[in-house]
Amino acid sequence: MRSEQWPWSAVVEETMRWNGAVNQFPMRYPLEDIEIDGTAIKKGEAILSSFGSAGRDPAQHGYDADEFDIRRRQAGHLGFGHGPHFCVGVHLARLQLETALAGFFSRFPNASLATPEQQEWKPTPVPSFVSNSLEYLPVLLGPAAAPDLPSR
Ligand code: HEM
């Protein structure tokens, strides 16, 4: 959907909810015995926070939580963490993502994902259970539009 009806910020937020860059975060240890939703966790036990899983929680995001839909009303995702360690760079990250997407698609308005037959390299996940990204994402750029140069 490239109708320009929805801002790039909606794409960024939905991406961070649906398949954000930080999938899980290790090295969390409770300072006292706690219970979360019926599960007892003892003081000092290692916890893996799954920000990615929280983004697909139907109780938070509705029955269609598994669907990528930039039109949804965002209900609060954990793509940039939560609480005292909430991402310090969140504003810069959002600005970079929106700027990069807008710049890329204004230069290559017809860019599309390569089909499996067109792919020299396959989309390959970076082998990590913490970060969530691809080593390769083959795309067809299509004709380039005139660059959007700043006026003097
Ligand atoms: C898409 C880009 C980014 C994503 C997905 C992201 C995600 C996160 C997440 C999930 C956390 C919380 C980690 C935790 O729970 O301990 C975090 C923390 C942090 N982020 Fe980011 N981040 C991004 C970009 C940036 C940028 C651009 C900067 C700096 C310029 C930055 C600096 C930090 C710092 C310093 C922390 C630690 C905060 C603390 O522990 O108090 N991040 N980030």
Side-chain angles (χ1 to χ4, degrees):
M1 185 188 310
R2 287 194 215 139
S3 64
E4 299 190 358
Q5 190 183 347
W6 294 86
W8 284 113
S9 58
V11 178
V12 169
E13 292 314 306
E14 179 64 346
T15 304
M16 293 304 300
R17 177 196 75 81
W18 188 75
N19 210 13
V22 181
N23 209 12
Q24 337 252 15
F25 211 91
M27 295 190 286
R28 290 276 185 267
Y29 306 93
L31 299 174
E32 55 193 48
D33 293 354
I34 56 173
E35 189 181 309
I36 300 177
D37 205 17
T39 300
I41 305 173
K42 291 207 174 308
K43 174 183 174 182
E45 277 185 343
I47 296 176
L48 183 70
S49 311
S50 182
F51 299 143
S53 163
R56 303 292 188 96
D57 182 0
Q60 179 74 3
H61 301 287
Y63 69 94
D64 61 349
D66 274 342
E67 285 171 31
F68 181 88
D69 184 354
I70 63 171
R71 298 165 301 180
R72 76 172 62 242
R73 183 194 291 262
Q74 288 296 337
H77 60 71
L78 301 183
F80 291 106
H82 180 73
H85 295 281
F86 185 68
C87 180
V88 171
V90 61
H91 300 300
L92 176 61
R94 284 180 167 136
L95 185 64
Q96 285 179 320
L97 290 164
E98 289 171 31
T99 305
L101 286 167
F104 177 79
F105 282 106
S106 72
R107 189 86 166 101
F108 298 104
N110 299 307
S112 61
L113 288 173
T115 63
E117 300 76 48
Q118 294 165 328
Q119 291 171 5
E120 195 172 335
W121 298 290
K122 302 288 167 211
T124 310
V126 172
S128 164
F129 74 97
V130 175
S131 67
N132 183 20
S133 57
L134 297 173
E135 288 186 11
Y136 307 109
L137 181 64
V139 297
L140 302 177
L141 292 177
D148 202 7
L149 296 174
S151 54
R152 292 197 174 184

